[in-house]
Protein backbone atom coordinates (compact mmCIF):
# COMPACT_ATOMS: atom_id res chain seq x y z
CA UNK A 1 0.00 0.00 0.00
CA UNK A 2 1.48 3.37 -1.02
CA UNK A 3 0.35 6.96 -0.60
CA UNK A 4 1.39 9.78 -2.93
CA UNK A 5 3.29 11.90 -0.43
CA UNK A 6 6.07 14.43 -1.08
CA UNK A 7 9.49 12.81 -0.76
CA UNK A 8 11.00 15.93 0.82
CA UNK A 9 8.86 15.63 3.92
CA UNK A 10 11.03 14.46 6.80
CA UNK A 11 8.27 14.06 9.38
CA UNK A 12 4.60 14.75 9.75
CA UNK A 13 1.63 14.06 11.94
CA UNK A 14 -0.62 11.90 9.78
CA UNK A 15 -4.20 13.05 9.51
CA UNK A 16 -5.22 9.93 7.60
CA UNK A 17 -7.22 7.26 9.38
CA UNK A 18 -7.98 3.62 8.90
CA UNK A 19 -9.98 2.32 5.96
CA UNK A 20 -13.77 2.43 6.46
CA UNK A 21 -13.90 -1.37 6.53
CA UNK A 22 -11.64 -1.35 9.56
CA UNK A 23 -13.14 1.73 11.24
CA UNK A 24 -16.55 0.07 11.38
CA UNK A 25 -15.20 -1.91 14.29
CA UNK A 26 -14.49 1.25 16.27
CA UNK A 27 -17.75 3.20 16.16
CA UNK A 28 -19.70 3.92 19.34
CA UNK A 29 -22.76 1.76 20.04
CA UNK A 30 -25.14 4.74 19.68
CA UNK A 31 -23.65 6.09 16.46
CA UNK A 32 -26.18 4.34 14.26
CA UNK A 33 -23.45 2.76 12.14
CA UNK A 34 -23.30 -0.98 11.50
CA UNK A 35 -20.81 -2.76 13.72
CA UNK A 36 -19.10 -6.05 13.14
CA UNK A 37 -19.74 -8.48 15.96
CA UNK A 38 -17.71 -11.57 15.07
CA UNK A 39 -15.24 -12.88 17.62
CA UNK A 40 -12.18 -11.94 15.55
CA UNK A 41 -13.31 -8.30 15.39
CA UNK A 42 -13.91 -8.11 19.13
CA UNK A 43 -10.46 -9.52 19.86
CA UNK A 44 -8.70 -6.95 17.65
CA UNK A 45 -10.71 -3.88 18.74
CA UNK A 46 -8.24 -2.82 21.47
CA UNK A 47 -5.35 -2.82 19.00
CA UNK A 48 -7.31 -0.87 16.39
CA UNK A 49 -8.43 1.73 18.90
CA UNK A 50 -4.88 2.22 20.19
CA UNK A 51 -3.57 2.51 16.64
CA UNK A 52 -5.95 5.37 15.82
CA UNK A 53 -4.50 7.44 18.66
CA UNK A 54 -0.94 6.23 18.20
CA UNK A 55 -0.76 7.01 14.47
CA UNK A 56 -2.21 10.50 14.85
CA UNK A 57 0.21 11.47 17.60
CA UNK A 58 3.44 9.97 16.31
CA UNK A 59 6.04 11.95 14.38
CA UNK A 60 7.52 9.81 11.66
CA UNK A 61 8.92 9.97 8.12
CA UNK A 62 6.31 10.41 5.41
CA UNK A 63 6.75 6.86 4.13
CA UNK A 64 6.21 5.28 7.56
CA UNK A 65 2.48 5.88 7.89
CA UNK A 66 1.43 3.76 4.88
CA UNK A 67 3.74 1.01 6.17
CA UNK A 68 2.12 1.10 9.60
CA UNK A 69 -1.35 1.39 8.10
CA UNK A 70 -0.77 -1.70 5.98
CA UNK A 71 0.38 -3.55 9.11
CA UNK A 72 -2.69 -2.76 11.22
CA UNK A 73 -4.98 -3.49 8.28
CA UNK A 74 -3.39 -6.89 7.80
CA UNK A 75 -3.61 -7.59 11.53
CA UNK A 76 -7.32 -6.74 11.49
CA UNK A 77 -7.86 -9.05 8.53
CA UNK A 78 -6.01 -11.99 10.09
CA UNK A 79 -6.93 -11.58 13.73
CA UNK A 80 -5.20 -13.67 16.36
CA UNK A 81 -4.37 -17.18 15.13
CA UNK A 82 -6.34 -20.11 16.51
CA UNK A 83 -5.77 -23.83 16.77
CA UNK A 84 -7.64 -24.14 13.47
CA UNK A 85 -4.77 -22.39 11.68
CA UNK A 86 -2.34 -25.02 10.41
CA UNK A 87 0.79 -23.10 11.41
CA UNK A 88 -0.55 -22.53 14.94
CA UNK A 89 -2.47 -25.73 15.65
CA UNK A 90 -0.16 -26.79 18.48
CA UNK A 91 0.22 -23.35 20.08
CA UNK A 92 -2.75 -21.71 21.74
CA UNK A 93 -2.26 -17.93 21.81
CA UNK A 94 -5.67 -17.26 23.37
CA UNK A 95 -3.98 -16.11 26.62
CA UNK A 96 -2.27 -13.34 24.60
CA UNK A 97 -5.50 -12.36 22.86
CA UNK A 98 -7.22 -12.08 26.25
CA UNK A 99 -4.58 -9.76 27.71
CA UNK A 100 -5.44 -6.06 27.91
CA UNK A 101 -3.48 -4.33 25.16
CA UNK A 102 -1.27 -1.75 26.85
CA UNK A 103 1.60 -0.75 24.55
CA UNK A 104 4.35 1.15 26.37
CA UNK A 105 4.38 4.25 24.18
CA UNK A 106 6.50 6.46 26.43
CA UNK A 107 9.77 5.68 28.24
CA UNK A 108 9.08 4.22 31.67
CA UNK A 109 11.90 4.33 34.25
CA UNK A 110 12.54 0.75 35.14
CA UNK A 111 15.20 1.11 37.79
CA UNK A 112 17.72 -0.75 35.63
CA UNK A 113 21.29 0.08 36.64
CA UNK A 114 24.64 -0.35 34.95
CA UNK A 115 25.41 -3.04 37.53
CA UNK A 116 22.25 -4.93 36.56
CA UNK A 117 23.21 -4.74 32.89
CA UNK A 118 26.69 -6.11 33.68
CA UNK A 119 25.17 -9.03 35.59
CA UNK A 120 22.77 -9.97 32.79
CA UNK A 121 23.58 -12.61 30.19
CA UNK A 122 26.27 -11.27 27.84
CA UNK A 123 26.33 -8.07 29.94
CA UNK A 124 29.90 -8.58 31.14
CA UNK A 125 31.29 -9.17 27.65
CA UNK A 126 33.35 -6.45 26.01
CA UNK A 127 30.93 -5.33 23.32
CA UNK A 128 29.15 -2.50 21.60
CA UNK A 129 25.88 -2.51 23.50
CA UNK A 130 22.44 -0.98 23.00
CA UNK A 131 20.14 -1.27 26.01
CA UNK A 132 16.37 -0.90 25.74
CA UNK A 133 14.20 -0.71 28.85
CA UNK A 134 10.47 -1.27 28.36
CA UNK A 135 10.96 -0.93 24.62
CA UNK A 136 12.84 2.38 24.65
CA UNK A 137 16.54 3.08 24.13
CA UNK A 138 18.52 4.10 27.23
CA UNK A 139 21.78 5.79 26.10
CA UNK A 140 23.27 6.06 29.59
CA UNK A 141 23.23 2.26 29.94
CA UNK A 142 24.56 1.66 26.44
CA UNK A 143 28.09 1.45 25.05
CA UNK A 144 28.63 3.15 21.67
CA UNK A 145 30.85 1.46 19.09
CA UNK A 146 34.57 2.17 19.25
CA UNK A 147 34.66 1.22 15.58
CA UNK A 148 33.61 4.39 13.73
CA UNK A 149 33.16 2.57 10.44
CA UNK A 150 29.98 0.83 11.58
CA UNK A 151 26.61 2.31 12.44
CA UNK A 152 24.98 0.97 15.60
CA UNK A 153 22.14 3.16 16.77
CA UNK A 154 18.62 3.33 18.10
CA UNK A 155 16.20 2.82 15.22
CA UNK A 156 13.99 5.64 16.47
CA UNK A 157 16.89 8.06 16.43
CA UNK A 158 18.06 6.88 13.01
CA UNK A 159 14.57 7.41 11.60
CA UNK A 160 14.61 11.01 12.81
CA UNK A 161 18.09 11.75 11.40
CA UNK A 162 18.35 9.78 8.14
CA UNK A 163 15.04 8.05 7.33
CA UNK A 164 15.65 7.80 3.58
CA UNK A 165 18.66 5.53 4.10
CA UNK A 166 16.48 3.01 5.91
CA UNK A 167 13.39 3.03 3.72
CA UNK A 168 14.58 0.49 1.15
CA UNK A 169 15.05 -2.21 3.82
CA UNK A 170 12.73 -1.51 6.77
CA UNK A 171 9.56 -3.56 6.43
CA UNK A 172 10.64 -5.03 3.10
CA UNK A 173 11.81 -8.44 4.34
CA UNK A 174 9.53 -9.22 7.30
CA UNK A 175 6.55 -10.88 5.67
CA UNK A 176 3.28 -10.37 7.52
CA UNK A 177 0.95 -11.99 5.00
CA UNK A 178 0.29 -14.94 7.31
CA UNK A 179 1.64 -13.69 10.64
CA UNK A 180 -0.57 -11.24 12.52
CA UNK A 181 2.08 -10.64 15.18
CA UNK A 182 4.57 -9.39 12.61
CA UNK A 183 1.85 -7.15 11.20
CA UNK A 184 1.12 -5.87 14.72
CA UNK A 185 4.80 -5.10 15.23
CA UNK A 186 4.89 -3.16 11.96
CA UNK A 187 1.95 -1.07 13.16
CA UNK A 188 3.26 -0.32 16.65
CA UNK A 189 7.06 -0.55 16.73
CA UNK A 190 8.73 2.55 18.14
CA UNK A 191 12.33 1.58 18.71
CA UNK A 192 14.91 -1.12 18.30
CA UNK A 193 18.37 -1.35 16.81
CA UNK A 194 19.81 -0.31 13.50
CA UNK A 195 23.09 -2.00 12.59
CA UNK A 196 24.87 -1.21 9.34
CA UNK A 197 28.22 -2.83 8.51
CA UNK A 198 29.99 -1.44 5.44
CA UNK A 199 31.26 -3.62 2.65
CA UNK A 200 34.53 -5.42 3.31
CA UNK A 201 34.62 -4.51 7.00
CA UNK A 202 35.21 -6.95 9.87
CA UNK A 203 33.75 -5.98 13.23
CA UNK A 204 36.05 -7.18 16.00
CA UNK A 205 33.87 -6.89 19.12
CA UNK A 206 30.35 -8.34 19.19
CA UNK A 207 27.30 -6.09 19.04
CA UNK A 208 24.91 -6.78 21.92
CA UNK A 209 21.23 -5.78 21.87
CA UNK A 210 19.71 -6.04 25.34
CA UNK A 211 15.94 -5.71 25.85
CA UNK A 212 14.75 -5.48 29.46
CA UNK A 213 11.11 -5.34 30.55
CA UNK A 214 10.36 -4.13 34.06
CA UNK A 215 6.76 -2.90 33.64
CA UNK A 216 4.54 -5.22 35.68
CA UNK A 217 1.22 -3.94 34.33
CA UNK A 218 -0.78 -6.86 32.98
CA UNK A 219 -0.72 -6.71 29.21
CA UNK A 220 2.09 -4.15 29.00
CA UNK A 221 3.55 -4.71 25.55
CA UNK A 222 6.69 -3.77 23.66
CA UNK A 223 7.27 -4.16 19.94
CA UNK A 224 11.02 -3.97 19.26
CA UNK A 225 12.10 -3.74 15.63
CA UNK A 226 15.69 -4.46 14.63
CA UNK A 227 17.27 -3.94 11.23
CA UNK A 228 20.69 -5.50 10.56
CA UNK A 229 22.38 -4.76 7.24
CA UNK A 230 25.65 -6.56 6.50
CA UNK A 231 27.44 -5.21 3.44
CA UNK A 232 29.32 -7.21 0.84
CA UNK A 233 32.12 -9.36 2.33
CA UNK A 234 31.57 -7.95 5.84
CA UNK A 235 31.99 -9.95 9.07
CA UNK A 236 30.21 -9.50 12.43
CA UNK A 237 28.72 -11.14 15.53
CA UNK A 238 25.37 -9.93 16.92
CA UNK A 239 23.98 -11.01 20.30
CA UNK A 240 20.30 -10.33 21.00
CA UNK A 241 18.88 -10.98 24.48
CA UNK A 242 15.49 -10.53 26.12
CA UNK A 243 15.04 -10.58 29.88
CA UNK A 244 12.39 -9.36 32.29
CA UNK A 245 11.24 -9.14 35.84
CA UNK A 246 8.13 -10.93 37.07
CA UNK A 247 5.04 -9.78 35.20
CA UNK A 248 2.38 -10.79 32.66
CA UNK A 249 3.75 -8.58 29.91
CA UNK A 250 4.01 -9.22 26.18
CA UNK A 251 7.09 -8.87 23.99
CA UNK A 252 6.50 -8.89 20.23
CA UNK A 253 9.86 -8.53 18.46
CA UNK A 254 10.90 -8.55 14.80
CA UNK A 255 14.45 -8.65 13.42
CA UNK A 256 15.12 -8.07 9.74
CA UNK A 257 18.50 -9.29 8.55
CA UNK A 258 19.91 -8.35 5.14
CA UNK A 259 23.23 -9.86 4.03
CA UNK A 260 25.11 -8.81 0.93
CA UNK A 261 27.29 -10.94 -1.30
CA UNK A 262 29.93 -12.85 0.67
CA UNK A 263 28.87 -11.42 4.03
CA UNK A 264 29.34 -13.58 7.14
CA UNK A 265 27.26 -13.13 10.29
CA UNK A 266 26.76 -15.01 13.54
CA UNK A 267 23.50 -14.10 15.26
CA UNK A 268 22.65 -15.42 18.72
CA UNK A 269 19.26 -14.76 20.33
CA UNK A 270 18.78 -15.57 24.02
CA UNK A 271 15.29 -15.40 25.52
CA UNK A 272 14.89 -15.55 29.31
CA UNK A 273 11.71 -13.57 29.97
CA UNK A 274 9.58 -13.69 33.11
CA UNK A 275 7.85 -17.04 33.56
CA UNK A 276 4.52 -15.19 33.49
CA UNK A 277 5.32 -13.29 30.31
CA UNK A 278 4.59 -13.95 26.64
CA UNK A 279 7.25 -13.71 23.95
CA UNK A 280 6.59 -13.76 20.21
CA UNK A 281 9.48 -13.06 17.86
CA UNK A 282 10.25 -13.20 14.16
CA UNK A 283 13.58 -13.28 12.35
CA UNK A 284 13.48 -12.64 8.60
CA UNK A 285 16.78 -13.04 6.79
CA UNK A 286 17.53 -12.27 3.15
CA UNK A 287 20.86 -13.79 2.11
CA UNK A 288 22.80 -12.67 -0.96
CA UNK A 289 25.21 -14.68 -3.08
CA UNK A 290 27.81 -16.69 -1.10
CA UNK A 291 26.60 -15.26 2.22
CA UNK A 292 27.23 -17.26 5.39
CA UNK A 293 24.73 -17.07 8.26
CA UNK A 294 24.72 -19.03 11.49
CA UNK A 295 21.80 -18.14 13.72
CA UNK A 296 21.24 -19.52 17.22
CA UNK A 297 18.03 -19.41 19.27
CA UNK A 298 18.27 -20.28 22.97
CA UNK A 299 14.93 -20.17 24.81
CA UNK A 300 14.64 -20.74 28.56
CA UNK A 301 12.04 -18.20 29.72
CA UNK A 302 8.44 -16.98 29.22
CA UNK A 303 5.22 -18.79 29.92
CA UNK A 304 4.58 -18.97 26.19
CA UNK A 305 7.20 -18.24 23.54
CA UNK A 306 7.38 -18.61 19.80
CA UNK A 307 10.18 -17.91 17.34
CA UNK A 308 9.17 -17.53 13.71
CA UNK A 309 12.26 -17.79 11.52
CA UNK A 310 12.24 -17.35 7.76
CA UNK A 311 15.40 -17.27 5.69
CA UNK A 312 15.47 -16.68 1.95
CA UNK A 313 18.61 -18.02 0.26
CA UNK A 314 18.35 -15.50 -2.56
CA UNK A 315 21.80 -15.96 -4.15
CA UNK A 316 23.92 -18.88 -5.25
CA UNK A 317 26.40 -20.51 -2.91
CA UNK A 318 24.75 -19.51 0.38
CA UNK A 319 25.62 -21.35 3.62
CA UNK A 320 22.95 -21.15 6.34
CA UNK A 321 22.87 -22.86 9.73
CA UNK A 322 19.91 -22.49 12.10
CA UNK A 323 20.71 -23.85 15.53
CA UNK A 324 18.44 -23.87 18.56
CA UNK A 325 17.89 -25.10 22.10
CA UNK A 326 14.78 -24.83 24.27
CA UNK A 327 14.62 -25.76 27.93
CA UNK A 328 11.18 -25.77 29.54
CA UNK A 329 9.67 -26.78 32.85
CA UNK A 330 6.42 -26.42 34.83
CA UNK A 331 3.76 -25.30 32.34
CA UNK A 332 5.95 -23.44 29.83
CA UNK A 333 5.42 -23.70 26.09
CA UNK A 334 8.24 -23.06 23.62
CA UNK A 335 7.52 -23.06 19.89
CA UNK A 336 9.96 -22.77 16.98
CA UNK A 337 8.49 -22.36 13.52
CA UNK A 338 10.80 -21.93 10.57
CA UNK A 339 10.85 -21.83 6.80
CA UNK A 340 14.13 -22.08 4.88
CA UNK A 341 13.52 -21.05 1.29
CA UNK A 342 16.08 -22.18 -1.29
CA UNK A 343 15.55 -19.84 -4.21
CA UNK A 344 18.87 -20.29 -6.07
CA UNK A 345 21.17 -23.26 -6.85
CA UNK A 346 24.24 -24.53 -5.00
CA UNK A 347 23.06 -23.52 -1.50
CA UNK A 348 23.41 -25.45 1.75
CA UNK A 349 21.20 -25.20 4.83
CA UNK A 350 21.28 -27.12 8.09
CA UNK A 351 18.83 -26.87 10.98
CA UNK A 352 19.60 -28.42 14.37
CA UNK A 353 17.12 -27.98 17.23
CA UNK A 354 17.20 -29.77 20.57
CA UNK A 355 14.55 -29.56 23.27
CA UNK A 356 14.76 -30.50 26.96
CA UNK A 357 11.31 -30.60 28.54
CA UNK A 358 10.37 -31.13 32.16
CA UNK A 359 7.20 -30.98 34.27
CA UNK A 360 4.00 -30.33 32.29
CA UNK A 361 5.80 -28.21 29.73
CA UNK A 362 5.34 -28.43 25.99
CA UNK A 363 7.58 -27.97 22.99
CA UNK A 364 6.59 -27.33 19.39
CA UNK A 365 8.85 -27.59 16.38
CA UNK A 366 7.72 -26.97 12.81
CA UNK A 367 10.47 -26.77 10.22
CA UNK A 368 9.90 -26.50 6.49
CA UNK A 369 12.56 -26.67 3.82
CA UNK A 370 11.18 -25.09 0.65
CA UNK A 371 13.21 -25.75 -2.52
CA UNK A 372 12.15 -23.66 -5.51
CA UNK A 373 12.49 -25.04 -9.04
CA UNK A 374 15.66 -23.04 -9.89
CA UNK A 375 17.44 -24.25 -6.73
CA UNK A 376 19.25 -27.23 -8.23
CA UNK A 377 22.19 -28.78 -6.32
CA UNK A 378 20.55 -27.90 -3.00
CA UNK A 379 21.88 -29.64 0.12
CA UNK A 380 19.48 -29.25 3.04
CA UNK A 381 19.29 -31.10 6.34
CA UNK A 382 16.91 -30.69 9.26
CA UNK A 383 17.03 -32.41 12.65
CA UNK A 384 14.89 -32.02 15.76
CA UNK A 385 15.77 -34.00 18.91
CA UNK A 386 13.78 -33.91 22.13
CA UNK A 387 14.51 -35.20 25.60
CA UNK A 388 11.46 -35.63 27.85
CA UNK A 389 12.30 -35.55 31.54
CA UNK A 390 8.82 -36.27 32.88
CA UNK A 391 5.77 -38.27 31.89
CA UNK A 392 3.69 -35.09 31.59
CA UNK A 393 6.02 -33.23 29.18
CA UNK A 394 4.98 -33.27 25.51
CA UNK A 395 6.45 -32.33 22.15
CA UNK A 396 4.75 -31.80 18.79
CA UNK A 397 7.34 -31.97 16.04
CA UNK A 398 6.79 -31.60 12.31
CA UNK A 399 9.85 -31.49 10.04
CA UNK A 400 8.76 -30.95 6.46
CA UNK A 401 10.18 -30.91 2.92
CA UNK A 402 8.61 -29.11 -0.04
CA UNK A 403 10.73 -29.67 -3.14
CA UNK A 404 10.19 -28.45 -6.68
CA UNK A 405 13.74 -29.06 -8.00
CA UNK A 406 15.15 -32.33 -9.37
CA UNK A 407 18.81 -32.47 -8.38
CA UNK A 408 18.83 -32.03 -4.59
CA UNK A 409 19.92 -33.74 -1.36
CA UNK A 410 17.37 -33.10 1.38
CA UNK A 411 16.85 -34.97 4.64
CA UNK A 412 14.79 -34.39 7.74
CA UNK A 413 14.09 -36.23 10.96
CA UNK A 414 12.88 -35.97 14.53
CA UNK A 415 13.44 -38.00 17.68
CA UNK A 416 11.70 -38.05 21.06
CA UNK A 417 13.04 -40.03 24.02
CA UNK A 418 14.26 -40.20 27.57
CA UNK A 419 17.68 -40.63 29.13
CA UNK A 420 19.50 -43.80 28.19
CA UNK A 421 19.80 -46.02 31.25
CA UNK A 422 22.80 -47.86 29.80
CA UNK A 423 24.69 -44.57 29.53
CA UNK A 424 23.80 -43.77 33.13
CA UNK A 425 25.01 -47.19 34.23
CA UNK A 426 28.30 -46.69 32.36
CA UNK A 427 28.95 -43.40 34.16
CA UNK A 428 28.08 -44.95 37.50
CA UNK A 429 30.66 -47.69 36.93
CA UNK A 430 33.20 -44.85 36.69
CA UNK A 431 32.34 -43.70 40.19
CA UNK A 432 29.92 -40.93 39.26
CA UNK A 433 26.76 -40.56 41.34
CA UNK A 434 23.41 -41.17 39.69
CA UNK A 435 22.21 -37.57 39.97
CA UNK A 436 25.40 -36.13 38.52
CA UNK A 437 25.39 -38.79 35.80
CA UNK A 438 21.93 -37.75 34.70
CA UNK A 439 22.87 -34.07 34.69
CA UNK A 440 25.97 -34.82 32.67
CA UNK A 441 23.93 -36.61 30.00
CA UNK A 442 21.37 -33.80 29.83
CA UNK A 443 24.18 -31.27 29.67
CA UNK A 444 25.83 -33.18 26.83
CA UNK A 445 22.53 -33.23 24.94
CA UNK A 446 22.30 -29.44 25.26
CA UNK A 447 25.98 -29.18 24.38
CA UNK A 448 25.30 -30.49 20.88
CA UNK A 449 23.68 -27.11 20.22
CA UNK A 450 25.81 -24.85 22.42
CA UNK A 451 29.09 -26.04 20.91
CA UNK A 452 28.08 -24.70 17.48
CA UNK A 453 28.24 -21.13 18.78
CA UNK A 454 31.42 -19.76 17.24
CA UNK A 455 31.96 -16.76 19.50
CA UNK A 456 33.71 -18.45 22.44
CA UNK A 457 32.76 -16.05 25.31
CA UNK A 458 29.05 -16.33 24.45
CA UNK A 459 29.33 -20.09 24.07
CA UNK A 460 30.99 -20.47 27.47
CA UNK A 461 28.44 -18.23 29.20
CA UNK A 462 25.45 -20.09 27.76
CA UNK A 463 27.07 -23.40 28.67
CA UNK A 464 27.32 -22.24 32.30
CA UNK A 465 23.69 -21.14 32.27
CA UNK A 466 22.55 -24.59 31.15
CA UNK A 467 24.65 -26.37 33.77
CA UNK A 468 23.55 -23.99 36.54
CA UNK A 469 19.94 -24.59 35.61
CA UNK A 470 20.42 -28.33 35.87
CA UNK A 471 22.18 -27.93 39.21
CA UNK A 472 19.32 -25.79 40.53
CA UNK A 473 16.66 -28.32 39.54
CA UNK A 474 17.51 -31.68 41.12
CA UNK A 475 14.02 -33.02 40.31
CA UNK A 476 15.02 -33.01 36.63
CA UNK A 477 17.14 -36.04 37.34
CA UNK A 478 14.65 -37.55 39.80
CA UNK A 479 11.90 -37.64 37.18
CA UNK A 480 13.90 -40.04 35.05
CA UNK A 481 14.32 -42.78 37.59
CA UNK A 482 13.16 -46.08 36.19
Amino acid sequence: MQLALPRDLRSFRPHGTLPDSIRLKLVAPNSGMVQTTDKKSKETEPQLEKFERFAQNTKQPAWMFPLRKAGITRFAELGFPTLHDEDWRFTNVAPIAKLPFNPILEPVPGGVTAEAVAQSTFGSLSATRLVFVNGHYVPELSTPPADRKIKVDSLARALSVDPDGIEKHLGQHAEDEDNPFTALNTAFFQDGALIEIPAGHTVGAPIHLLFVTTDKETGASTHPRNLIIAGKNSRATVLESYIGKDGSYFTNAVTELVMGEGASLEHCKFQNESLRAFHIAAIHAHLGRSANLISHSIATGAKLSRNNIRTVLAGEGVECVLNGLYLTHNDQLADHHMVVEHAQPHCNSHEYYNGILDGRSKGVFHGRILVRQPAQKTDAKQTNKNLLLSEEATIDTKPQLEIYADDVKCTHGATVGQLNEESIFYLRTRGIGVEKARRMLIHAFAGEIIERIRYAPAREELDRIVWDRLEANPHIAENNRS
Side-chain angles (χ1 to χ4, degrees):
M1 182 183 297
Q2 297 293 328
L3 297 183
L5 295 172
R7 294 293 300 132
D8 60 347
L9 289 179
R10 288 295 178 264
S11 64
F12 79 123
R13 290 181 182 272
H15 298 290
T17 54
L18 295 173
D20 290 341
S21 60
I22 304 301
R23 284 177 54 78
L24 285 176
K25 302 180 178 68
L26 309 180
V27 297
N30 59 358
S31 66
M33 295 180 66
V34 177
Q35 298 185 68
T36 56
T37 57
D38 58 278
K39 181 180 179 182
K40 181 181 292 187
S41 298
K42 289 182 178 180
E43 285 184 341
T44 59
E45 278 180 7
Q47 289 77 16
L48 299 177
E49 291 172 355
K50 290 286 174 60
F51 182 79
E52 284 274 282
R53 295 192 292 270
F54 170 69
Q56 292 184 17
N57 292 282
T58 299
K59 289 185 177 181
Q60 54 193 334
W63 54 267
M64 276 294 299
F65 181 61
L67 183 68
R68 293 190 186 279
K69 192 173 178 180
I72 196 65
T73 301
R74 187 59 181 156
F75 173 75
E77 291 171 350
L78 293 172
F80 286 99
T82 71
L83 297 179
H84 297 292
D85 296 297
E86 179 61 27
D87 286 347
W88 297 83
R89 66 191 182 101
F90 298 121
T91 300
N92 185 4
V93 300
I96 298 177
K98 292 176 182 178
L99 285 174
F101 184 65
N102 297 314
I104 306 173
L105 301 179
E106 300 293 336
V108 177
V112 179
T113 63
E115 291 75 18
V117 169
Q119 293 172 8
S120 66
T121 303
F122 306 142
S124 62
L125 301 181
S126 177
T128 295
R129 183 171 290 107
L130 298 185
V131 179
F132 300 84
V133 177
N134 297 319
H136 295 269
Y137 176 59
V138 184
E140 57 268 25
L141 295 177
S142 303
T143 305
D147 187 341
R148 296 186 179 182
K149 292 184 178 181
I150 64 174
K151 178 183 288 186
V152 182
D153 203 354
S154 154
L155 182 61
R157 188 160 64 184
L159 283 170
S160 67
V161 174
D162 182 24
D164 291 343
I166 304 173
E167 180 182 4
K168 66 179 179 180
H169 290 301
L170 187 63
Q172 303 307 307
H173 306 286
E175 300 179 7
D176 58 14
E177 285 300 308
D178 58 357
N179 190 331
F181 292 104
T182 298
L184 188 64
N185 177 283
T186 298
F188 279 98
F189 80 85
Q190 288 183 281
D191 213 343
L194 171 65
I195 300 173
E196 291 187 73
I197 306 162
H201 188 66
T202 297
V203 183
I207 301 168
H208 180 206
L209 313 179
L210 174 60
F211 296 88
V212 185
T213 302
T214 62
D215 195 321
K216 294 185 178 182
E217 180 183 11
T218 299
S221 66
T222 60
H223 303 267
R225 187 66 167 246
N226 305 311
L227 177 60
I228 303 171
I229 305 169
K232 181 179 179 180
N233 295 324
S234 62
R235 302 285 186 273
T237 298
V238 177
L239 309 174
E240 186 178 332
S241 55
Y242 295 82
I243 61 176
K245 296 183 178 179
D246 188 45
S248 298
Y249 59 85
F250 172 40
T251 300
N252 180 33
V254 172
T255 296
E256 292 182 280
L257 209 166
V258 187
M259 297 179 64
E261 180 180 346
S264 179
L265 181 73
E266 179 168 30
H267 175 263
C268 184
K269 176 177 179 284
F270 176 66
Q271 183 272 112
N272 190 29
E273 303 266 28
S274 158
L275 292 179
R276 294 172 53 206
F278 302 88
H279 180 95
I280 304 290
I283 298 173
H284 293 261
H286 187 273
L287 312 182
R289 182 184 180 92
S290 300
N292 187 312
L293 170 67
I294 180 166
S295 180
H296 315 280
S297 173
I298 312 298
T300 62
K303 180 180 179 67
L304 184 156
S305 67
R306 171 155 167 148
N307 266 0
N308 296 284
I309 304 171
R310 177 152 192 153
T311 60
V312 179
L313 283 57
E316 293 189 30
V318 172
E319 296 281 342
C320 176
V321 175
L322 303 180
N323 185 53
L325 175 68
Y326 43 99
L327 295 90
T328 61
H329 64 283
N330 296 335
D331 59 351
Q332 285 182 282
L333 185 153
D335 182 350
H336 283 84
H337 185 283
M338 68 193 65
V339 178
V340 178
E341 180 180 350
H342 286 256
Q344 297 296 330
H346 302 285
C347 294
N348 300 329
S349 70
H350 304 277
E351 294 86 59
Y352 310 97
Y353 274 75
N354 284 11
I356 301 172
L357 302 99
D358 183 33
R360 301 180 305 278
S361 66
K362 179 178 179 179
V364 180
F365 175 85
H366 184 167
R368 180 159 66 107
I369 297 173
L370 171 60
V371 183
R372 300 291 187 188
Q373 193 280 328
Q376 305 297 332
K377 302 296 183 180
T378 286
D379 185 351
K381 298 179 176 64
Q382 184 180 94
T383 304
N384 177 229
K385 300 179 182 179
N386 297 278
L387 185 60
L388 303 185
L389 301 179
S390 73
E391 294 182 357
E392 293 81 17
T394 60
I395 175 70
D396 292 294
T397 180
K398 185 182 178 183
Q400 187 178 5
L401 301 176
E402 187 174 341
I403 303 171
Y404 299 98
D406 300 320
D407 188 3
V408 301
K409 290 194 301 182
C410 296
T411 63
H412 66 342
T415 62
V416 181
Q418 297 179 324
L419 290 176
N420 187 302
E421 291 298 329
E422 291 184 3
S423 298
I424 295 173
F425 177 77
Y426 174 82
L427 291 175
R428 294 192 68 187
T429 63
R430 295 320 190 251
I432 299 173
V434 61
E435 304 300 342
K436 187 172 183 180
R438 293 178 188 276
R439 291 193 188 97
M440 288 176 64
L441 291 174
I442 299 171
H443 183 245
F445 183 78
E448 294 178 6
I449 301 300
I450 299 295
E451 68 184 6
R452 291 193 183 94
I453 298 175
R454 297 172 181 170
Y455 183 63
R459 180 178 66 244
E460 293 164 2
E461 185 161 357
L462 290 173
D463 187 67
R464 286 195 299 271
I465 288 173
V466 171
W467 182 256
D468 290 346
R469 178 160 178 161
L470 297 178
E471 285 284 315
N473 291 276
H475 67 282
I476 287 179
E478 290 289 347
N479 286 339
N480 279 272
R481 289 187 182 278
S482 57

